[in-house]
Amino acid sequence: MMRFLPETLDLDGPEEDISSAHHGDQDKYTSAIERITFDALDLPCFLVRDDWFDLNGKRKPGVWFCYQSATAAGKPVTPTAIRICSPLYVAAVTHTEDGRYFGRLLRFLDTLGRWRQWAMPMELLRGSGEELRGELLAAGVETEQRHRAKLADYLQWQVPDKVIIAALRTGWTTNGKTFVLPERILGDQDVYLQSDAIHQAASLRCGGEFLQWQQLAAMCIGNSVLMVSICVALAGPLLTKVHQESGGIHWIGDTSTGKTTALVLAASVWGGEDFKRSWRATSNGMESVAVMLSDTCLCLDEINEADPQEIGAIVYCLGNGTGKTRANKIGAARQVQRWRLSILSTGERSISAAMQENGKQAKAGHLMRLLNIPVARRFGVFDELHQFGDGRTLSDHFRTQCARHFGHAGVRFVEYLLQQGDADFVSVLLQLETQFLCPDNQTARAASKFALYAMAGELAIEAGILPWPLGSALSACQAMYQQWMLARGSGLTEHRQILQNVTDFLLKHGDSKFTDKMNPQEKPRADRAGWYVDRAGERIYLFTSAALRDAGGNFDFNRVLEALETAQWIVEHDQGKRSKKTAISGVGKLNLYWLQPNEDGDHA
């Protein structure tokens, strides 16, 4: 049988930098070189060596396959060794907590002589294994092209005794006691991120100094937009704790107002400049990004760069936290990707305006998942300039410093949450929700988001992460909630959209598609939508069913009628109905909808 040598690995022991030996400087190791004979090996076997060694001649460090080559009858068998790749160990078996999705923890030496680790999914060994070899080559593993097929054999030849838990995405594992980052595990250390790509989510990293970042955070005091941006970024790890769905805020402002600065500041909670991402992506592409950043924050800059056809799908996709159901090659459903995300977005236009460019109307679901808030303050996004002369100078300072100091606050916040154990975060959230006025169910949903952001900020203050006074995060979130309420207007979003759609229809077609009911000889200049009657100086429009469906937009017809009735725009109707059977000269009796738009019902 083949043997895997060495059989045991000390992953926690000191690691020697052997880059000089790995690059061919074998002469300096001649006196200490290890000598091995084929007679000492149980052929066939795989042999792994970190240094140059002697096996019937000097051989490079790496994974070697040793076997006996076949010869003609009567001749002695010739032992042979072929090199597969540079040093690479199979350190442990990995699998998810439910016992599925197995993998192997690989420990390997890159081109610069640095030891690295990767939890590799076993499914990468399917077929020819090109994807696997591509990832290893990109990470600095050197393979022998002539013998590359043997790499898959080596990785599967022996099952290591050590077994560890694998996470398929960043963020909390199922037990909620471990937080997985690409380069770091917070909590239970016996968990690894298992992914198809070694370099996945490299933007989640730390740089610079935490104290320097805290000085930036201190300059946010008095600037509600900046304070809420940081709170939104910190709220990601709390979503699981309080069982909330993904969602966030969309800052709206003219160019050069500083809204991207607020986004950069939020991104610095978790990573560097590359943590900030663009809206220029498809909904499928956003799925992959969401999984890479699960339980943290997704920062999207400038909605104008997005394809208007994709915006609605992206918002729903991110907010629902569930990817598309796809089939594999044999027709079975693949595992659906899932995530939870706090989202911060910017743009010169609202979600509604961006979608209208493609002729689509934003639903209430879009607007509740990503709350549109104007950022016009005293100095762009700023209310307080501190010692700076203008908003541009302050903005430049924030962006420069965020590029140098980043990624510390998010990690420290997760560590603080881990210290709290099984604390009742839901009760804390419910208490904070009482600090927000909620006229209806939709505003209550938005208030719950702002209460979550306030809780994230206040917890970070208690933990000593944010150098703000206690209560300041709550005050900033309340101010931005009021700003959202003011920009949104009162009443349910669907009601206001339906009333606006009908109003727009009348403004566009009122004189061309409606004719005087009392003048049967009058003909419409376009396809008829109905008739009108004038009473006491007010005009009542008599809509046909087809015209009213068209005027209501992409809403269910019963939903349209409900909004019109609630707004008291339906002024006459038969008992138990919303329409009225009306006699039209030369046509007969029709079921028409008698509508009179009125200002009192606009905000019902």
Side-chain angles (χ1 to χ4, degrees):
M1 293 180 61
M2 291 191 180
R3 291 189 295 122
F4 171 76
L5 301 175
E7 293 187 0
T8 59
L9 294 173
D10 182 9
L11 294 181
D12 301 322
E15 297 173 351
E16 179 185 1
D17 186 348
I18 61 169
S19 58
S20 58
H22 191 53
H23 281 82
D25 189 13
Q26 67 269 42
D27 292 339
K28 63 185 289 188
Y29 290 91
T30 301
S31 61
I33 196 168
E34 181 182 7
R35 287 178 171 80
I36 302 173
T37 64
F38 280 107
D39 292 338
L41 300 177
D42 185 10
L43 302 179
C45 70
F46 285 101
L47 186 66
V48 187
R49 284 294 178 267
D50 299 345
D51 296 329
W52 287 84
F53 66 103
D54 189 334
L55 181 61
N56 284 10
K58 293 177 183 178
R59 299 182 187 270
K60 295 175 64 175
V63 178
W64 291 79
F65 177 51
C66 305
Y67 65 100
Q68 293 175 332
S69 59
T71 62
K75 293 185 178 181
V77 175
T78 304
T80 305
I82 58 174
R83 188 172 185 266
I84 309 302
C85 65
S86 54
L88 185 153
Y89 294 100
V90 183
V93 172
T94 63
H95 65 78
T96 52
E97 287 182 306
D98 58 5
R100 301 189 298 167
Y101 303 106
F102 280 79
R104 296 290 186 267
L105 179 64
L106 306 183
R107 182 174 181 264
F108 57 89
L109 197 67
D110 69 12
T111 305
L112 300 179
R114 300 170 300 186
W115 286 101
R116 303 180 61 187
Q117 292 187 156
W118 173 38
M120 172 205 74
M122 288 297 288
E123 63 179 343
L124 289 184
L125 293 172
R126 65 183 182 270
S128 65
E130 290 183 0
E131 295 178 15
L132 167 66
R133 291 195 298 274
E135 285 297 322
L136 290 174
L137 286 168
V141 175
E142 300 168 359
T143 62
E144 300 289 342
Q145 287 295 97
R146 291 177 301 169
H147 309 302
R148 60 184 182 274
K150 275 292 179 185
L151 178 61
D153 292 337
Y154 165 65
L155 295 176
Q156 298 181 91
W157 198 261
Q158 190 179 68
V159 178
D161 294 331
K162 187 172 184 178
V163 179
I164 60 176
I165 299 298
L168 301 183
R169 63 175 184 264
T170 59
W172 298 109
T173 57
T174 304
N175 61 20
K177 297 180 180 179
T178 306
F179 197 89
V180 179
L181 295 172
E183 305 294 338
R184 187 173 181 181
I185 306 298
L186 305 176
D188 185 352
Q189 295 298 313
D190 204 19
V191 178
Y192 286 82
L193 178 64
Q194 181 171 295
S195 64
D196 293 345
I198 298 177
H199 299 287
Q200 188 176 23
S203 57
L204 281 163
R205 66 182 197 278
C206 297
E209 300 179 9
F210 175 55
L211 292 179
Q212 293 293 323
W213 184 88
Q214 281 191 311
Q215 292 181 12
L216 284 178
M219 296 177 63
C220 296
I221 297 175
N223 292 302
S224 297
V225 173
L226 302 185
M227 295 177 72
V228 172
S229 295
I230 291 179
C231 292
V232 172
L234 288 170
L238 285 172
L239 291 170
T240 299
K241 301 290 186 182
V242 298
H243 314 294
Q244 273 206 11
E245 64 180 7
S246 300
I249 289 175
H250 176 67
W251 296 129
I252 308 169
D254 295 337
T255 185
S256 300
T257 57
K259 58 186 183 297
T260 299
T261 300
L263 193 74
V264 168
L265 186 61
S268 71
V269 169
W270 293 103
E273 292 179 292
D274 55 348
F275 193 84
K276 175 177 70 71
R277 297 177 179 271
S278 169
W279 264 98
R280 190 177 182 181
T282 64
S283 56
N284 290 343
M286 282 293 185
E287 281 188 28
S288 299
V289 174
V291 173
M292 290 163 54
L293 302 177
S294 183
D295 287 320
T296 64
C297 181
L298 175 61
C299 299
L300 295 174
D301 193 25
E302 198 44 69
I303 199 171
N304 281 341
E305 294 186 3
D307 183 347
Q309 294 183 351
E310 293 278 355
I311 292 174
I314 289 174
V315 173
Y316 268 124
C317 167
L318 294 177
N320 291 340
T322 305
K324 289 183 179 179
T325 300
R326 298 178 174 87
N328 58 24
K329 292 182 179 180
I330 62 174
R334 293 181 181 176
Q335 182 193 19
V336 175
Q337 299 191 102
R338 300 182 185 277
W339 59 83
R340 276 193 176 97
L341 276 173
S342 188
I343 306 169
L344 195 66
S345 166
T346 69
E348 297 177 20
R349 299 183 296 173
S350 66
I351 301 294
S352 302
M355 291 180 64
Q356 285 174 359
E357 183 178 331
N358 192 49
K360 294 186 177 181
Q361 186 172 47
K363 302 284 195 300
H366 295 118
L367 303 181
M368 295 310 300
R369 284 168 172 79
L370 213 51
L371 306 174
N372 293 280
I373 305 178
V375 295
R377 311 298 289 179
R378 292 178 60 197
F379 311 101
V381 300
F382 307 111
D383 292 302
E384 175 60 55
L385 296 178
H386 297 285
Q387 73 271 24
F388 290 86
D390 53 50
R392 179 179 178 180
T393 307
L394 178 56
S395 180
D396 290 344
H397 176 74
F398 271 116
R399 301 182 72 160
T400 300
Q401 293 301 307
C402 284
R404 297 173 179 170
H405 311 288
F406 52 82
H408 301 279
V411 172
R412 289 172 180 260
F413 187 63
V414 172
E415 291 174 338
Y416 179 73
L417 296 181
L418 287 168
Q419 293 172 7
Q420 306 311 304
D422 298 325
D424 190 358
F425 293 102
V426 175
S427 296
V428 177
L429 179 63
L430 292 175
Q431 291 176 8
L432 285 171
E433 286 179 359
T434 62
Q435 304 298 311
F436 296 85
L437 179 64
C438 309
D440 53 58
N441 290 336
Q442 288 185 358
T443 54
R445 185 175 170 185
S448 183
K449 291 183 184 294
F450 279 100
L452 176 68
Y453 305 148
M455 181 168 72
E458 294 299 330
L459 288 174
I461 294 171
E462 290 181 3
I465 299 170
L466 293 177
W468 302 346
L470 283 172
S472 59
L474 174 60
S475 297
C477 290
Q478 288 174 325
M480 289 298 98
Y481 174 69
Q482 293 298 324
Q483 186 81 358
W484 172 77
M485 291 272 286
L486 184 63
R488 171 184 179 268
S490 60
L492 295 176
T493 301
E494 293 93 338
H495 277 43
R496 291 182 289 104
Q497 287 181 333
I498 290 169
L499 300 184
Q500 187 61 53
N501 289 344
V502 175
T503 299
D504 292 343
F505 184 89
L506 290 174
L507 290 174
K508 185 176 181 180
H509 304 295
D511 294 331
S512 60
K513 292 190 174 185
F514 292 84
T515 56
D516 188 354
K517 178 179 178 295
M518 307 307 295
N519 184 5
Q521 304 303 318
E522 184 180 358
K523 302 295 182 183
R525 296 194 296 272
D527 295 337
R528 185 187 295 279
W531 293 262
Y532 66 83
V533 294
D534 292 324
R535 291 180 181 172
E538 298 291 339
R539 178 159 293 185
I540 301 173
Y541 292 91
L542 284 57
F543 275 83
T544 64
S545 175
L548 190 54
R549 290 176 187 273
D550 186 23
N554 297 322
F555 289 94
D556 180 81
F557 189 52
N558 287 328
R559 187 69 183 83
V560 172
L561 295 177
E562 179 185 345
L564 295 172
E565 184 177 45
T566 302
Q568 300 179 359
W569 283 21
I570 300 178
V571 293
E572 291 190 25
H573 58 86
D574 293 333
Q575 186 172 1
K577 296 183 178 181
R578 288 164 171 156
S579 62
K580 179 180 181 180
K581 189 170 288 293
T582 306
I584 302 296
S585 179
V587 177
K589 291 188 175 182
L590 302 175
N591 285 317
L592 301 178
Y593 295 89
W594 290 53
L595 304 185
Q596 182 180 347
N598 62 83
E599 295 181 359
D600 292 337
D602 284 349
H603 306 294

